[in-house]
Amino acid sequence: MLAQTGKRLTTRITDHVQEKLQAAADLVGATLNQFVVQAALEKAEKIIESESTIVLTRRESLRLLEMIENPPPRNEKFLQAQARYLRLKNDAGSTA
């Protein structure tokens, strides 16, 4: 299943959990270690995907597109932050 990389993950589990995991691993023809690593990897990928995606309603999507196409005017705080950023960027560029 997965190539060996030399890294080791150790955990303690109850007999009940080990028996259930082993039964599932046997059903798919994998070793217990392969099964646990694959299951953890699948779960990690689902979590990363769900935390990396923003779902908007149609109304929210239209509002976002409207704001991108017609952004609100820049207020004083924005202009001050932009000036501060440009100063920092220029200072960092002159020391490099």
Side-chain angles (χ1 to χ4, degrees):
M1 266 181 152
L2 298 174
Q4 294 236 346
T5 61
K7 301 289 183 185
R8 181 178 297 270
L9 177 66
T10 305
T11 185
R12 294 188 186 279
I13 57 176
T14 64
D15 288 339
H16 172 72
V17 170
Q18 183 170 1
E19 290 167 7
K20 186 171 269 194
L21 292 174
Q22 186 64 60
D26 292 344
L27 288 170
V28 295
T31 67
L32 179 58
N33 190 58
Q34 290 170 330
F35 179 81
V36 169
V37 169
Q38 187 62 38
L41 187 57
E42 288 172 10
K43 180 72 172 187
E45 288 170 350
K46 285 180 183 178
I47 290 170
I48 291 168
E49 174 69 23
S50 71
E51 293 298 319
S52 302
T53 304
I54 298 174
V55 178
L56 301 176
T57 64
R58 178 169 170 74
R59 183 177 179 185
E60 292 166 336
S61 299
L62 293 173
R63 175 73 175 131
L64 177 61
L65 289 174
E66 172 63 27
M67 291 190 75
I68 289 171
E69 291 175 0
N70 301 304
R74 297 174 177 174
N75 63 22
E76 187 59 33
K77 280 190 172 187
F78 176 88
L79 296 173
Q80 290 171 359
Q82 183 180 36
R84 187 171 53 250
Y85 167 76
L86 293 173
R87 277 195 310 274
L88 290 171
K89 184 178 168 186
N90 289 334
D91 291 346
S94 63
T95 60

